[in-house]
Amino acid sequence: MSQSSPPVRSVVVYHSGYGHTRRMAEAVAEGAEATLVEIDPEGNIADDAWEMLGVADAILLGSPTYMGGPSWQFKKFADASSKSWFEGIWQNKIFGGFTNSASINGDKLNTLEYFFLLAGQHGGVWVSMDIKPANRKDSKRDDLNRMGSYIAPMAQTPADASPEEMSPGDLETARRYGARVAMIAGQFQSGKLA
Amino acid sequence: MSQSSPPVRSVVVYHSGYGHTRRMAEAVAEGAEATLVEIDPEGNIADDAWEMLGVADAILLGSPTYMGGPSWQFKKFADASSKSWFEGIWQNKIFGGFTNSASINGDKLNTLEYFFLLAGQHGGVWVSMDIKPANRKDSKRDDLNRMGSYIAPMAQTPADASPEEMSPGDLETARRYGARVAMIAGQFQSGKLA
Amino acid sequence: MSQSSPPVRSVVVYHSGYGHTRRMAEAVAEGAEATLVEIDPEGNIADDAWEMLGVADAILLGSPTYMGGPSWQFKKFADASSKSWFEGIWQNKIFGGFTNSASINGDKLNTLEYFFLLAGQHGGVWVSMDIKPANRKDSKRDDLNRMGSYIAPMAQTPADASPEEMSPGDLETARRYGARVAMIAGQFQSGKLA
Amino acid sequence: MSQSSPPVRSVVVYHSGYGHTRRMAEAVAEGAEATLVEIDPEGNIADDAWEMLGVADAILLGSPTYMGGPSWQFKKFADASSKSWFEGIWQNKIFGGFTNSASINGDKLNTLEYFFLLAGQHGGVWVSMDIKPANRKDSKRDDLNRMGSYIAPMAQTPADASPEEMSPGDLETARRYGARVAMIAGQFQSGKLA
């Protein structure tokens, strides 16, 4: 991109129950140079956060995986986005997502697929990962994409581990994914103006 | 089953936003001779409903499909069932589900798949449909399984139609599925005692 | 896009068992001004088709839905694409998909979700639909997006209907989706050069 | 079950590309006391294997996860099962599944979900896992259900590891799941006769 590229406005909107997904959201936001919007314990966000989402170029969706899917607080946000859907104001935006849970698998894929279906209903464009999985005998817990996820990053934090104990590899994977989504949003944005 | 078969205790637990899923739940419950438990607008059910679920042989899960998945109220119930999961008290129960939405597809499959993932986390046994799809040129809106769904019944009600205007075929499909789930729960229950 | 925009090279790669998905592929290709590549009855494509896919800007994936997913011939193509995956040559391409089956639902969503997972593994960017569902009481069989699909177009053709009898609305939906994917690929392409 | 319980006829039908899924299939079959049917490199099984499946009480489906789903050889078998579907001869059977791949996640959930959708189309009854995930800081590679899977067992074998190097915990998880599916099939079978 040339120096005159328009700035990309990215928003990371997420729910976190115990702070792990928050830490992952911060890593994604650092990569994307995004604004963070946290869904509160009642599943709500402020009115000006809705406005920010309305004008964003890229939206990154985050939630822990609870009982096989995104938390109910995230789903309440998703259901409330039906207003934006009726008006078509998220159409053509760039989307991505991320999730954390205690189990290595634990149906995390289903959470990410739900984020994609939500983005799809809004008429969005989804950006997948570009980091090959670390899946060899000498792969380490802190390798990039040690989870072997493709459509978006996953983090795994044991049930008895604090946010401080999260895998640095998982967080760096999240950070790079954030940067990738913002870069692609920038290319797409430049192309619209070309 | 012999006349001395143990009675099957079935519970239909569902959320309904505008009454359509409630009518479908009533049809399923009629078929299964089940008790109805409605998740309230805040995503809660009464304490004695949790007790009823704990001793049920069969649990049937219902929700409209909103924004590509079950409603947040249903998900709040699902998240709250993590207590039953920790204690393993829903393990080996028979499960089924159902959903309604305005669009013919509209990601209804994702809602049913979520119900299955939830049942799976609880260590449940899932019962699929046994009605072939009505998918020929002369198929009618009121045919059984005109939706062509397999893992559980779907109903489709146009966005501007009231619960009274639901397809009789969709409701009869739901009723028969309820009866099927209860019958299989009964066989399984008899077999445990054999 | 300005007149000097680079041309977009789009490829529609599909399998068709009885001609219905072929007709849908032709509609998508017309919209996208794409080259058609048909996967043969043994699940193979020619070597030069692999080369064409390697240099394409946009890849559109099509298959009937058989037994709940893409046909085995499509899956054989997908498995063979692991070579492109190892080399990372499909990374950052724009992807889309489409499917046809006899039943209204019939697990078509699962086929489209698989296309997305495949595109995701390749590090692709997925383009969703932008046509609201036709889901009112006066909606007709020939309306645009009467299937109510979001992530990509679906067509439904009764089990006893020939390709000639496909819904004009389904085909026009497919054509517009093809045009949309190519347009977004063009914007993304222009943006890379900006 | 009483000593007079009818014998349960279980069949494990699977494809294996490099021997890892075969070893997992053997573990499942050991637990279920099942007959093994291997899908050959061309995606075929013998005629008498189809007959065996037709009279089985329980069918366990296995495949590696390749490019985000079951191998094409497995899908060819699934597509060929459409004959059994038309005739309804797999209806009410008990189903389960299993998969292995090199990455920790690697879309293994999608393979298992496909097995469920296939079983669902056949009108089957799906049995989920009953082993809690090993997801604490002191969890080991050889723990039971260290993958944290619920609907069916997953195994993970690094890309450079031979079948002999598979995780004993993954294999023991598979063996116990096989035993569980057969036990539930037995209960269901006894109940039919009660």
Side-chain angles (χ1 to χ4, degrees):
Chain A
M1 287 183 285
S2 66
Q3 284 188 305
S4 59
S5 291
V8 175
R9 291 159 301 181
S10 302
V11 177
V12 173
V13 56
Y14 71 99
H15 173 253
S16 180
Y18 302 96
H20 305 85
T21 305
R22 182 179 302 119
R23 204 167 165 215
M24 195 178 189
E26 288 165 353
V28 170
E30 185 191 322
E33 300 182 41
T35 306
L36 281 159
V37 171
E38 182 161 337
I39 300 167
D40 75 20
E42 293 308 308
N44 299 317
I45 61 173
D47 284 349
D48 61 352
W50 284 109
E51 283 162 33
M52 203 154 42
L53 287 163
V55 298
D57 301 307
I59 298 178
L60 290 133
L61 308 165
S63 169
T65 296
Y66 288 164
M67 300 307 290
S71 68
W72 71 262
Q73 289 92 343
F74 182 89
K75 189 56 175 47
K76 190 174 171 188
F77 159 76
D79 288 2
S81 80
S82 61
K83 194 163 175 292
S84 305
W85 172 65
F86 277 118
E87 298 169 1
I89 57 181
W90 289 10
Q91 202 167 288
N92 296 335
K93 290 185 190 302
I94 306 295
F95 284 87
F98 56 93
T99 191
N100 173 78
S101 75
S103 294
I104 281 180
N105 277 271
D107 298 341
K108 277 195 274 275
L109 179 62
N110 186 58
T111 299
L112 297 181
E113 286 185 307
Y114 175 67
F115 293 160
F116 167 65
L117 291 177
L118 178 62
Q121 180 156 349
H122 281 287
V125 172
W126 185 275
V127 179
S128 297
M129 304 257 289
D130 64 351
I131 304 173
K132 283 281 195 307
N135 60 15
R136 301 183 71 81
K137 284 192 273 187
D138 61 358
S139 295
K140 302 275 183 304
R141 179 173 180 263
D142 288 346
D143 285 344
L144 293 177
N145 198 14
R146 56 134 184 169
M147 287 284 107
S149 186
Y150 296 113
I151 61 176
M154 298 174 176
Q156 181 256 339
T157 314
D160 53 349
S162 69
E164 288 69 37
E165 294 171 286
M166 289 181 76
S167 151
D170 289 353
L171 294 170
E172 176 62 13
T173 301
R175 196 191 61 77
R176 292 195 188 188
Y177 176 72
R180 168 171 166 76
V181 172
M183 187 200 69
I184 285 180
Q187 284 184 1
F188 185 53
Q189 194 64 13
S190 298
K192 274 196 229 176
L193 305 173
Chain B
M1 288 181 284
S2 65
Q3 284 187 305
S4 60
S5 290
V8 174
R9 292 160 299 183
S10 301
V11 178
V12 173
V13 56
Y14 71 99
H15 173 253
S16 180
Y18 302 96
H20 305 85
T21 305
R22 181 179 302 119
R23 206 171 161 211
M24 195 180 188
E26 288 165 353
V28 170
E30 185 192 322
E33 300 183 39
T35 305
L36 281 160
V37 171
E38 182 160 337
I39 299 166
D40 75 19
E42 292 308 309
N44 300 316
I45 60 172
D47 284 350
D48 60 353
W50 284 108
E51 283 162 33
M52 203 154 41
L53 287 163
V55 297
D57 302 306
I59 298 178
L60 290 134
L61 308 164
S63 169
T65 296
Y66 288 164
M67 300 307 289
S71 68
W72 72 262
Q73 289 92 343
F74 182 90
K75 189 57 173 50
K76 190 172 171 188
F77 158 76
D79 287 3
S81 79
S82 61
K83 194 163 174 292
S84 306
W85 172 66
F86 277 119
E87 299 170 0
I89 58 180
W90 290 8
Q91 201 168 290
N92 296 335
K93 291 187 191 300
I94 305 295
F95 283 87
F98 56 93
T99 191
N100 173 77
S101 75
S103 293
I104 280 181
N105 276 273
D107 298 341
K108 277 196 273 276
L109 180 63
N110 186 58
T111 299
L112 297 182
E113 287 185 308
Y114 174 69
F115 292 160
F116 167 65
L117 291 177
L118 177 63
Q121 179 156 349
H122 280 287
V125 173
W126 186 274
V127 178
S128 297
M129 304 259 288
D130 64 351
I131 305 173
K132 284 279 195 306
N135 61 14
R136 301 183 73 81
K137 284 191 273 187
D138 60 359
S139 296
K140 302 277 181 305
R141 179 173 181 264
D142 289 345
D143 285 344
L144 293 177
N145 199 15
R146 56 133 184 170
M147 286 287 107
S149 186
Y150 296 113
I151 60 175
M154 299 175 176
Q156 181 256 338
T157 314
D160 53 350
S162 70
E164 288 70 36
E165 294 171 288
M166 290 181 76
S167 151
D170 288 355
L171 293 171
E172 176 62 14
T173 301
R175 196 191 62 77
R176 292 196 189 188
Y177 177 73
R180 169 172 165 77
V181 172
M183 187 201 68
I184 286 180
Q187 284 183 2
F188 186 53
Q189 194 63 13
S190 297
K192 275 195 223 173
L193 305 173
Chain C
M1 285 182 285
S2 66
Q3 284 189 305
S4 60
S5 291
V8 174
R9 292 160 299 182
S10 302
V11 177
V12 173
V13 56
Y14 71 99
H15 173 253
S16 180
Y18 302 96
H20 305 85
T21 306
R22 181 178 303 120
R23 206 169 163 213
M24 195 180 188
E26 288 165 353
V28 170
E30 185 192 322
E33 300 183 40
T35 305
L36 281 160
V37 171
E38 182 161 337
I39 300 167
D40 74 19
E42 293 307 308
N44 300 316
I45 61 172
D47 284 350
D48 61 353
W50 284 109
E51 283 162 33
M52 202 153 41
L53 287 162
V55 297
D57 301 307
I59 297 178
L60 290 133
L61 308 164
S63 168
T65 295
Y66 288 164
M67 300 307 290
S71 68
W72 71 263
Q73 288 92 345
F74 182 90
K75 189 57 175 46
K76 190 172 171 188
F77 159 76
D79 288 3
S81 80
S82 61
K83 193 162 176 293
S84 305
W85 173 65
F86 276 118
E87 298 169 2
I89 57 181
W90 290 9
Q91 202 167 288
N92 296 336
K93 291 187 191 300
I94 306 295
F95 283 87
F98 56 93
T99 191
N100 173 78
S101 74
S103 294
I104 280 180
N105 278 272
D107 298 341
K108 277 195 273 276
L109 180 63
N110 186 57
T111 298
L112 297 181
E113 286 185 307
Y114 174 68
F115 292 161
F116 168 65
L117 291 178
L118 178 63
Q121 180 157 349
H122 281 287
V125 173
W126 185 274
V127 179
S128 297
M129 303 258 288
D130 65 350
I131 305 173
K132 283 280 197 304
N135 60 15
R136 300 183 73 80
K137 284 192 272 186
D138 61 358
S139 295
K140 301 276 182 305
R141 178 173 181 262
D142 288 346
D143 284 344
L144 292 178
N145 198 16
R146 54 132 185 171
M147 286 288 106
S149 186
Y150 296 112
I151 61 176
M154 298 175 178
Q156 181 256 338
T157 314
D160 53 349
S162 70
E164 288 70 36
E165 293 172 288
M166 290 180 75
S167 152
D170 289 354
L171 294 170
E172 176 62 12
T173 302
R175 197 192 61 76
R176 292 196 189 188
Y177 177 72
R180 169 170 166 77
V181 172
M183 187 201 68
I184 286 181
Q187 283 183 2
F188 186 53
Q189 193 65 12
S190 296
K192 274 195 227 176
L193 305 173
Chain D
M1 287 182 283
S2 65
Q3 283 187 304
S4 59
S5 291
V8 174
R9 291 159 299 181
S10 301
V11 178
V12 173
V13 56
Y14 70 99
H15 174 252
S16 180
Y18 302 96
H20 305 84
T21 305
R22 182 179 302 121
R23 203 168 165 214
M24 195 180 189
E26 288 165 353
V28 170
E30 185 191 323
E33 300 183 41
T35 305
L36 281 160
V37 171
E38 182 160 337
I39 300 166
D40 75 20
E42 292 307 309
N44 300 318
I45 61 172
D47 284 350
D48 61 352
W50 284 109
E51 283 162 32
M52 203 152 42
L53 288 162
V55 297
D57 301 306
I59 297 179
L60 290 134
L61 308 164
S63 169
T65 296
Y66 288 165
M67 300 307 289
S71 68
W72 70 263
Q73 289 93 342
F74 182 89
K75 190 56 174 47
K76 190 173 172 188
F77 159 76
D79 288 2
S81 80
S82 60
K83 194 162 174 293
S84 305
W85 173 65
F86 276 119
E87 298 170 359
I89 57 181
W90 289 9
Q91 202 168 289
N92 296 336
K93 291 187 191 299
I94 305 296
F95 283 87
F98 56 93
T99 192
N100 173 79
S101 75
S103 293
I104 280 180
N105 276 272
D107 298 341
K108 277 195 274 276
L109 180 62
N110 186 56
T111 299
L112 297 181
E113 286 185 307
Y114 174 67
F115 292 160
F116 167 65
L117 291 177
L118 177 63
Q121 180 156 349
H122 280 288
V125 173
W126 185 274
V127 178
S128 297
M129 303 259 289
D130 64 351
I131 304 172
K132 284 280 197 303
N135 60 16
R136 300 183 73 80
K137 284 192 273 187
D138 61 359
S139 296
K140 303 277 183 304
R141 180 173 180 263
D142 289 345
D143 286 344
L144 292 178
N145 198 15
R146 57 137 182 166
M147 286 286 107
S149 186
Y150 297 112
I151 60 175
M154 298 174 177
Q156 181 257 339
T157 314
D160 53 349
S162 69
E164 288 69 37
E165 294 171 288
M166 290 180 76
S167 151
D170 288 354
L171 293 171
E172 176 62 12
T173 302
R175 196 190 62 76
R176 293 195 188 189
Y177 177 72
R180 168 171 166 78
V181 172
M183 187 201 67
I184 285 180
Q187 284 183 2
F188 186 53
Q189 193 65 12
S190 297
K192 274 195 226 174
L193 305 174

